[in-house]
Amino acid sequence: DAGITQSPRHKVTETGTPVTLRCHQTENHRYMYWYRQDPGHGLRLIHYSYGVKDTDKGEVSDGYSVSRSKTEDFLLTLESATSSQTSVYFCAISGKGLAGELLGTGELFFGEGSRLTVL
Amino acid sequence: GDSVTQMEGPVTLSEEAFLTINCTYTATGYPSLFWYVQYPGEGLQLLLKATKADDKGSNKGFEATYRKETTSFHLEKGSVQVSDSAVYFCALSSYGQNFVFGPGTRLSVLP
């Protein structure tokens, strides 16, 4: 158990409403990621963070924003949800500590996912 | 950029059959290679990994060998069980922070 929790685990919302998903880690890992999982596409990176207030875009970042105000929390926000954002969202942390030191064997650890349905 | 290709399936096997899931990759440099497994309703968890050419990763009866000459990392198991039914993802990582995943292969094992 890599100490990652996502909330909410399930959410149904309507088109045009804002949505925020939260990822919380207790492991002091430096890198945190948000992926979405869709049939036929596998996992696609939305945004990632390499430190407090340091974030960058992934391959499918349009329509999403992120924030990381402290090491343990990484928030994903959909400013105005659309039906194309219906998906399962996974947070992950990588096996590197705050100083870049290797933790474990360098793999990604995943949360249990947040299923979002936009009607 | 880096990419991972794997057979998408679904793959349906009988219990105790031999499993192979093919994975090939394109990357600059020398990435680490991973297989992740996702059971229904859960997140992904690491199944095995290899960090350099000719390394063999193994876990729970699964094996995969890092083949640099063929840029492949095929997953194998000699005798699958019903409990192995899941989605399997091949992935690579360059520099330990940029991860690229294949589309996943759904495996169903019938009793």
Side-chain angles (χ1 to χ4, degrees):
Chain A
D1 183 2
I4 309 172
T5 55
Q6 293 184 228
S7 59
R9 294 289 314 280
H10 301 273
K11 186 171 181 67
V12 179
T13 191
E14 295 189 349
T15 297
T17 60
V19 176
T20 295
L21 306 180
R22 178 178 183 245
C23 177
H24 179 78
Q25 60 141 331
T26 58
E27 305 294 320
N28 269 341
H29 286 250
R30 179 178 175 186
Y31 287 84
M32 299 183 74
Y33 306 79
W34 277 108
Y35 289 89
R36 60 178 289 174
Q37 183 180 25
D38 305 288
H41 292 279
L43 287 165
R44 292 182 291 174
L45 181 64
I46 305 171
H47 282 278
Y48 68 99
S49 169
Y50 48 96
V52 173
K53 297 185 179 177
D54 291 324
T55 64
D56 206 349
K57 296 179 180 180
E59 62 179 299
V60 289
S61 58
D62 288 347
Y64 302 94
S65 62
V66 289
S67 66
R68 191 168 178 198
S69 59
K70 46 187 177 178
T71 298
E72 56 265 37
D73 289 327
F74 191 33
L75 305 181
L76 176 70
T77 297
L78 292 65
E79 301 289 349
S80 178
T82 67
S83 58
S84 65
Q85 293 176 311
T86 292
S87 187
V88 181
Y89 292 85
F90 287 98
C91 176
I93 61 177
S94 77
K96 285 194 174 183
L98 297 179
E101 73 276 19
L102 192 66
L103 302 176
T105 54
E107 68 268 29
L108 278 180
F109 299 95
F110 285 86
E112 294 187 338
S114 296
R115 182 175 295 276
L116 175 66
T117 302
V118 184
L119 302 176
Chain B
D2 296 352
S3 66
V4 173
T5 302
Q6 65 178 106
M7 51 193 292
E8 293 197 35
V11 175
T12 302
L13 297 173
S14 298
E15 205 164 24
E16 298 184 2
F18 185 86
L19 169 71
T20 299
I21 301 177
N22 291 335
C23 171
T24 57
Y25 68 90
T26 302
T28 54
Y30 304 96
S32 294
L33 302 175
F34 307 84
W35 277 101
Y36 281 83
V37 59
Q38 183 181 32
Y39 298 103
E42 299 183 9
L44 281 73
Q45 54 187 278
L46 181 68
L47 180 60
L48 53 84
K49 66 175 286 187
T51 58
K52 61 184 187 295
D54 300 325
D55 267 3
K56 176 185 284 188
S58 61
N59 186 25
K60 300 181 181 180
F62 291 89
E63 293 183 341
T65 301
Y66 190 142
R67 301 289 188 197
K68 185 172 180 292
E69 64 276 12
T70 55
T71 62
S72 65
F73 193 54
H74 305 321
L75 182 68
E76 297 182 336
K77 186 175 186 183
S79 176
V80 293
Q81 306 300 311
V82 172
S83 58
D84 294 326
S85 297
V87 181
Y88 293 83
F89 292 90
C90 185
L92 66 81
S93 167
S94 296
Y95 312 110
Q97 59 209 46
N98 299 317
F99 291 80
V100 176
F101 287 83
T105 300
R106 183 175 299 278
L107 171 66
S108 295
V109 181
L110 305 178

